Amino acid sequence: MKQSTQRVVLAGVLAAVLGAAVSGCAPAVLGGVVIGSMVALDRRTSGSQLEDEGIEIRSASRIREHLGDRVHVNIASYNRQVLITGEVPNAQDRQQVELIVSKVDNVRAIVNELAVLGNTSFTQRSSDTLITGRVKAGMIDAKDLFVGAFKVVTERGVTYLMGRVSQREANRASDIARSTTGVQKVVRILEIISEEELQRLLPASAAQQPTK
């Protein structure tokens, strides 16, 4: 019964992620997921979370304003470090997108992963969203990771991992992502913290859990 329930929950997570991508609110869907005692926990301060949301919204708005529909750009910010993914028609647009984002308030670093390619199809983007959902479901199923500690982005089969995690968590999450169907490559954009700092960040009940 327990395994059956878990499969239902994981399937629901995947469906929610895919559905939420259409409305642009995938991160919120998983924000309160609880599987057993592994609570989805965001390790940023509330202020940092608000700053990241503002960075993503302002960056996307300014890119649309300057470049319109000829580019397909996704912005993900974690602790004010911004990941830019997607496709642009030429190198000049790639540089301009980075310049636009660099001028947004509170941005401290940029990782520009834009490709000079034609825009991906809806089918490809849906596939990427499903891959992201599978990776997150794999983290939940692992039981020794907090899915909320990671921001997961997939673009053209490349999965990017962002977050504040220990080296153990980084390695475990990378292994899970690499073994996920559809993932062609894993890129880590992670802030590594010590196990001691991790224990200070965890809720008391979770901090007592054994790690693998």
Side-chain angles (χ1 to χ4, degrees), residues 8-35:
V8 171
V9 172
L10 293 177
V13 169
L14 290 174
V17 171
L18 184 58
V22 177
S23 61
C25 57
V29 174
L30 292 179
V33 171
V34 180
I35 304 297

Side-chain angles (χ1 to χ4, degrees), residues 32-48:
V33 171
V34 180
I35 304 297
S37 58
M38 296 302 289
V39 182
L41 176 67
D42 195 315
R43 292 172 187 166
R44 295 169 294 177
T45 65
S46 57
S48 293

Side-chain angles (χ1 to χ4, degrees), residues 84-103:
I84 311 174
T85 59
E87 303 81 38
V88 292
N90 53 62
Q92 290 76 18
D93 283 342
R94 186 179 189 276
Q95 185 175 5
Q96 186 176 359
V97 168
E98 183 171 339
L99 181 62
I100 290 169
V101 174
S102 70
K103 293 182 178 179

Side-chain angles (χ1 to χ4, degrees), residues 38-83:
M38 296 302 289
V39 182
L41 176 67
D42 195 315
R43 292 172 187 166
R44 295 169 294 177
T45 65
S46 57
S48 293
Q49 292 180 54
L50 288 174
E51 285 180 342
D52 286 332
E53 290 176 7
I55 287 170
E56 292 175 353
I57 292 170
R58 289 192 294 273
S59 296
S61 176
R62 293 179 190 180
I63 291 167
R64 283 195 302 270
E65 179 182 344
H66 287 86
L67 299 175
D69 295 333
R70 76 171 184 269
V71 300
H72 165 234
V73 178
N74 294 316
I75 302 293
S77 180
Y78 192 97
N79 261 0
R80 300 181 293 118
Q81 180 170 237
V82 180
L83 168 66

Side-chain angles (χ1 to χ4, degrees), residues 18 21 72 74 86-87 117-132 134 154-159 181-184:
L18 184 58
H72 165 234
N74 294 316
E87 303 81 38
L117 294 170
N119 290 356
T120 51
S121 65
F122 175 79
T123 300
Q124 177 65 65
R125 296 178 198 180
S126 298
S127 175
D128 287 337
T129 301
L130 185 57
I131 290 169
T132 294
R134 288 177 183 148
T154 304
E155 193 76 54
R156 301 185 309 280
V158 178
T159 294
T181 301
V183 173
Q184 299 177 19

Side-chain angles (χ1 to χ4, degrees), residues 136-170:
K136 290 183 176 181
M139 291 179 181
I140 293 170
D141 197 31
K143 295 185 175 65
D144 59 342
L145 287 177
F146 289 82
V147 66
F150 293 87
K151 180 171 283 191
V152 183
V153 176
T154 304
E155 193 76 54
R156 301 185 309 280
V158 178
T159 294
Y160 301 86
L161 302 177
M162 307 178 77
R164 293 187 70 215
V165 298
S166 68
Q167 189 65 59
R168 171 186 57 80
E169 291 176 312

